Amino acid sequence: MFVELSNKQRMPNIGFGTDLVPDGETIINAVTWAIEAGYRHIDNADCYKNETGVGIAIKNCIDRGIVSRKDLYVVNKVPDWKQGYDSTIKCCKESLRKTGLDYFDLYLVHSPYRQNENWQKSVLDTYRAIETLYKEGLVKAIGVSNFEIRHLEFILKEAEIKPVVNQFEFHPQRQQKHVVEFCKAHDIQVVGWGTLNQGRIFKNQTFLDLAQKYNKDCGQIAVRYSLQKGVVPLVRSTKKERIYSNFDVDGFELSQEDMLLLDSLDGGEFSNMHHDGIRPVHMVPDTQTEYSPIPYTKTYKLFSFIPLLKEKRVAWNKSKWFLFGFIPFLRVTKRDETQKR
Ligand SMILES: NC(=O)c1ccc[n+]([C@@H]2O[C@H](COP(=O)([O-])OP(=O)(O)OC[C@H]3O[C@@H](n4cnc5c(N)ncnc54)[C@H](OP(=O)(O)O)[C@@H]3O)[C@@H](O)[C@H]2O)c1
């Protein structure tokens, strides 16, 4: 099944997520099982650090005759710390080299947030580079990710080529209705990440009750919820049976009443994280027109060298376990700040 994007491209309506899956055997197996199960949309990014494995799995599946390249819809993204015109072109070409592909079906600005506060210039330079990549045929469609309304308004005003997609966190506990409505009004397809709320739905009583009622599992309920909302869900698993079951969502539909029940979960516990480094997604209400520095700016700045260390691989292997010890601390800081609002 497909959704048609504003550029007439057909996007498979369920995507396989690859974030946080280690490169090597784990990602190769996961992507291979996903393609065998029927997923044709693979969501990947420079910062997931597993593009080589994703590419190997795709090549193996093509060599085995399971799919051809044109059947697949492969997505990639430029992370915020590589924003800028030249660095975006370089990043995309490097990602193509690592995955062994000639083109991406869709290429996204991973996030509008950046260490400096002049996000407009940074995002625009990046977007211009993506437009160039599109004109050169290296990417077949372009879009954005984690953009809120003010970012979308800005890019719609400045862009030569309109974004076809906005990818952001979407599931019953975080519906971001204002962004969804804005995207629908501007013919921008919403692609939802964290469809399973990064595993939290499997402990949620409403999901458990609905799973029992429909004789399905919570993952299938969540995927159906997104589909019925017109959102393309991205789902990740490293387990073969889960990869299959999350995709097996035909033949049942959630009733209007149960959709409303799931709607009522909005505002529950959610991730508020994206993984292009360690930075929590900046949650400024859209009523605020100016960019406000994140409340934990000082903490963030203190650790903002980490993605750079990772990039340069400066003593990374030796220091990463020590550095990762601070992540729970940062998450606590972020939660405190969110609760204060
Ligand atoms: N643009 C962005 O900023 C952004 C941010 C985050 C994610 N994404 C994309 O969206 C994709 C999906 O989101 P996500 O990775 O955040 O998480 P998700 O798909 O919401 O949840 C994944 C978690 O659910 C577990 N799980 C999956 N199926 C299950 C099942 N049937 N039963 C029980 N547990 C199950 C997985 O564990 P197991 O592996 O053990 O099954 C994993 O821990 C990502 O992989 C990535 O491609 C994009």
Side-chain angles (χ1 to χ4, degrees):
M1 298 275 278
F2 299 88
V3 292
E4 191 177 283
L5 305 179
S6 62
N7 65 351
K8 304 292 171 216
Q9 195 188 41
R10 284 175 2 129
M11 168 190 265
N13 70 344
I14 301 177
F16 185 70
T18 58
D19 189 14
L20 299 174
V21 184
D23 204 6
E25 199 184 347
T26 318
I27 190 72
I28 295 172
N29 283 339
V31 173
T32 304
W33 291 327
I35 294 172
E36 287 171 352
Y39 296 80
R40 294 293 175 261
H41 174 168
I42 313 289
D43 183 73
N44 196 211
D46 167 273
C47 66
Y48 301 167
K49 298 289 166 213
N50 54 17
E51 293 160 297
T52 308
V54 168
I56 291 171
I58 289 174
K59 183 175 184 314
N60 288 348
C61 288
I62 292 173
D63 289 349
R64 286 165 56 208
I66 301 171
V67 278
S68 63
R69 173 64 185 94
K70 69 175 169 37
D71 297 327
L72 291 173
Y73 193 92
V74 185
V75 183
N76 207 296
K77 318 177 189 90
V78 56
D80 60 357
W81 65 89
K82 290 190 183 174
Q83 280 184 11
Y85 188 88
D86 292 339
S87 46
T88 298
I89 303 268
K90 192 173 158 207
C91 177
C92 179
K93 288 185 175 169
E94 187 60 11
S95 293
L96 284 168
R97 188 191 63 74
K98 283 186 192 157
T99 40
L101 299 176
D102 298 330
Y103 65 90
F104 291 124
D105 297 273
L106 175 66
Y107 198 66
L108 306 177
V109 182
H110 204 143
S111 155
Y113 309 106
R114 196 169 152 77
Q115 291 170 36
N116 69 56
E117 283 156 30
N118 187 1
W119 64 267
Q120 287 93 338
K121 176 172 174 11
S122 193
V123 163
L124 192 56
D125 288 349
T126 307
Y127 202 81
R128 293 267 182 262
I130 293 180
E131 288 177 328
T132 302
L133 292 163
Y134 174 80
K135 287 175 194 162
E136 288 175 355
L138 294 177
V139 305
K140 301 293 181 195
I142 63 179
V144 295
S145 174
N146 300 306
F147 273 42
E148 296 209 34
I149 291 177
R150 64 187 177 286
H151 308 119
L152 291 168
E153 281 173 338
F154 171 75
I155 215 68
L156 285 172
K157 186 158 72 71
E158 299 290 339
E160 188 187 330
I161 301 161
K162 193 180 144 176
V164 292
V165 154
N166 186 17
Q167 182 187 122
F168 54 90
E169 185 171 7
F170 179 86
H171 47 80
Q173 286 127 315
R174 193 172 185 209
Q175 293 163 38
Q176 310 209 59
K177 289 185 194 124
H178 56 303
V179 191
V180 173
E181 276 160 26
F182 184 92
C183 288
K184 282 194 176 155
H186 291 83
D187 207 5
I188 298 171
Q189 176 64 47
V190 176
V191 175
W193 61 257
T195 302
L196 313 173
N197 199 355
Q198 301 186 330
R200 291 180 189 86
I201 60 159
F202 298 94
K203 293 189 191 123
N204 179 282
Q205 198 53 48
T206 307
F207 270 97
L208 291 166
D209 291 345
L210 288 177
Q212 194 174 27
K213 175 174 171 183
Y214 287 90
N215 197 21
K216 296 287 170 187
D217 77 23
C218 298
Q220 294 166 321
I221 301 289
V223 171
R224 272 245 65 97
Y225 175 83
S226 291
L227 291 174
Q228 289 181 218
K229 285 280 177 185
V231 170
V232 170
L234 299 177
V235 275
R236 158 177 63 97
S237 179
T238 48
K239 316 272 184 322
K240 188 174 183 178
E241 66 283 5
R242 293 177 178 180
I243 290 171
Y244 273 76
S245 75
N246 292 338
F247 193 72
D248 181 15
V249 292
D250 289 338
F252 83 105
E253 202 156 294
L254 298 170
S255 69
Q256 190 59 28
E257 189 190 23
D258 292 331
M259 288 296 285
L260 288 172
L261 182 63
L262 288 168
D263 282 348
S264 72
L265 301 181
D266 198 13
E269 199 197 357
F270 54 80
S271 140
N272 195 26
M273 286 287 287
H274 73 110
H275 301 283
D276 63 349
I278 56 166
R279 187 151 43 130
V281 171
H282 175 195
M283 294 280 291
V284 175
D286 264 307
T287 47
Q288 218 166 317
T289 46
E290 288 305 310
Y291 180 82
S292 316
I294 44 179
Y296 28 76
T297 295
K298 278 191 191 140
T299 318
Y300 174 62
K301 278 190 177 155
L302 193 62
F303 295 105
S304 60
F305 65 95
I306 293 176
L308 287 174
L309 263 186
K310 197 172 164 187
E311 281 309 294
K312 304 274 180 221
R313 306 224 177 265
V314 180
W316 174 242
N317 286 336
K318 286 191 180 136
S319 58
K320 66 181 169 189
W321 301 116
F322 169 74
L323 293 170
F324 275 148
F326 288 103
I327 289 178
F329 165 74
L330 286 175
R331 290 191 66 137
V332 168
T333 313
K334 178 262 302 177
R335 286 236 166 85
D336 287 344
E337 291 298 342
T338 308
Q339 279 158 11
K340 273 184 207 158
R341 279 198 209 105

